[in-house]
Amino acid sequence: VYYYEEPLFQDGPVSVAISDVVGSGVMYYTSAGNSNADLNGLQVASYEAASYRPTTCPLGLTYPGKDCHNFNFNPTGTAVNADQVTLAANGTLDIDLQWSEPWNGVVTDFDLYLLDMSGNVVESDYTTNSGPGGTQQPFAYIYHQNLTGSPQNYQIVITRYDGTGTPRIKFFFSQNTSKLTYVEFNMSAGEDTVGPTISGHSASRYVSSVGATPYDNANSVEIFSSRGPAAHYWGPVIGTLAASPIETETLLQPDFTATDLVCTTFFFIYDGTSKCYRFQGTSAAAPHAAAVAALVLQAARRYHLNLNQYSMKALLQSTAVTITTADSYAAGAGRLDAFAAMTAILPYHASVPIVSR
């Protein structure tokens, strides 16, 4: 389950609820997300600037506001007020923009636009975010499908409609984005970061966040599996008061990967060779990780060993198999190994050996 409005820069209400149940002894496993986009080996599914850099706006905006973000990180270079992307025919673009101001304490109103190459507005979100009548969520969102029948170029534009703040800004292409064939700003440079997409409660110290490894290639990570890291700059969302700033909390997630694309009796992709339906995605991987944890927990209780969410995570990470074709931002500690985890938890004098099959 994914919520677009979950904060990128602090723990939101979902993460707070998870912290409550984990505090009561529950172990919580979540999908890392399916929001990565790979273009010729470049991971391009997000863009983040350390601060909003104002410049003039393109012509044609419905509510142009005061200024627009300059995507050129070089202060002496020519300002670039849009990020160009290309969608193939029937491709979709799903953009989640957020900025580093706390929920219930939003003082700057940013808007998000998608323009065609002539400057015409294709999609927009100019919701009022700041002020007494605003949403008080630092969030804007647009969705677009290219129904023209041919590849189309678009421009992503971020405007500052109200306020004087220049906070950190980030947008990412969510899991509904498809057939993305070009992104202008496709590499990290200066203080701008491109690539990480893990977000919301999938990036929280309270959870075990699970990426996906395909059943038929154990030394890989699914290309769509969301990448880390993530960072929090504000305390959690509790009640209606704005959280205070915190020392930057860097979340090196996902924590590990587990298998997806296994056979089910009904769901998702029909495999005519195996005559089964294969369930793809990190949503398929997360319950497999939870199942491994359940086996380990059962064994631990048999030998009167107490494990909580954090000791279990440490155990599963320490026994995971390194995935050599992916970095830790995609694979975490590696692919879960149930046999190794079970073997590690049992005392050496265990009378019942674990048999691998």
Side-chain angles (χ1 to χ4, degrees):
V1 178
Y2 174 76
Y3 300 97
Y4 291 100
E5 297 92 341
E6 284 196 73
L8 295 183
F9 299 114
Q10 63 187 131
D11 278 324
V14 177
S15 295
V16 171
I18 291 170
S19 73
D20 290 342
V21 297
V22 167
S24 70
V26 169
M27 295 184 185
Y28 199 101
Y29 292 78
T30 182
S31 59
N34 305 322
S35 296
N36 189 51
D38 181 295
L39 293 182
N40 301 316
L42 297 176
Q43 316 308 312
V44 301
S46 73
Y47 168 86
E48 182 173 1
S51 64
Y52 175 80
R53 299 184 292 259
T55 188
T56 57
C57 291
L59 298 176
L61 293 183
T62 307
Y63 298 104
K66 298 178 177 181
D67 39 52
C68 287
H69 177 64
N70 175 15
F71 284 87
N72 187 350
F73 74 94
N74 186 347
T76 63
T78 302
V80 181
N81 56 18
D83 186 2
Q84 183 180 327
V85 297
T86 303
L87 280 181
N90 298 314
T92 58
L93 197 58
D94 210 327
I95 309 175
D96 187 326
L97 167 70
Q98 299 192 33
W99 53 99
S100 185
E101 293 179 347
W103 273 29
N104 305 312
V106 178
V107 296
T108 314
D109 189 353
F110 290 101
D111 296 330
L112 180 62
Y113 290 87
L114 187 69
L115 309 181
D116 64 22
M117 298 309 292
S118 297
N120 301 307
V121 176
V122 177
E123 307 287 350
S124 62
D125 183 343
Y126 45 87
T127 301
T128 300
N129 304 97
S130 61
T135 65
Q136 283 301 308
Q137 295 181 8
F139 163 77
Y141 166 80
I142 57 177
Y143 172 83
H144 179 71
Q145 184 174 12
N146 173 19
L147 298 175
T148 65
S150 62
Q152 295 294 313
N153 298 323
Y154 302 96
Q155 303 175 83
I156 299 170
V157 177
I158 301 168
T159 76
R160 182 172 57 175
Y161 185 73
D162 190 30
T164 59
T166 58
R168 176 178 293 270
I169 60 173
K170 179 175 182 175
F171 68 78
F172 69 97
F173 306 131
S174 84
Q175 58 189 5
N176 293 322
T177 298
S178 66
K179 300 186 178 181
L180 186 69
T181 60
Y182 173 76
V183 174
E184 181 178 3
F185 292 91
N186 57 18
M187 296 179 65
S188 298
E191 291 186 311
D192 292 357
T193 303
V194 172
T197 56
I198 195 167
S199 61
H201 69 275
S202 296
S204 169
R205 65 185 181 277
Y206 304 113
V207 306
S208 289
S209 185
V210 188
T213 289
Y215 80 102
D216 55 354
N217 189 353
N219 192 39
S220 70
V221 176
E222 294 278 21
I223 200 167
F224 54 75
S225 192
S226 291
R227 294 171 57 85
H232 290 167
Y233 303 95
W234 304 90
V237 178
I238 299 175
T240 58
L241 296 178
S244 300
I246 60 172
E247 183 177 348
T248 302
E249 177 188 43
T250 301
L251 299 154
L252 300 177
Q253 289 173 305
D255 296 298
F256 31 66
T257 74
T259 307
D260 78 334
L261 278 173
V262 298
C263 282
T264 71
T265 58
F266 69 98
F267 191 57
F268 217 18
I269 302 169
Y270 185 70
D271 182 343
T273 301
S274 301
K275 296 193 177 352
C276 71
Y277 290 87
R278 297 196 177 275
F279 180 17
Q280 186 175 37
T282 55
S283 290
H288 286 146
V292 172
L295 289 171
V296 174
L297 186 62
Q298 183 182 35
R301 286 176 175 171
R302 178 179 179 184
Y303 291 96
H304 308 292
L305 302 174
N306 293 318
L307 293 175
N308 61 19
Q309 168 88 328
Y310 308 105
S311 55
M312 177 69 78
K313 181 190 292 189
L315 173 66
L316 296 181
Q317 288 178 317
S318 68
T319 55
V321 178
T322 300
I323 295 177
T324 59
T325 62
D327 59 30
S328 61
Y329 295 132
R335 173 178 49 81
L336 290 190
D337 186 328
F339 181 72
M342 287 288 287
T343 301
I345 200 64
L346 292 177
Y348 289 113
H349 63 269
S351 58
V352 180
I354 300 298
V355 179
S356 178
R357 64 182 179 88

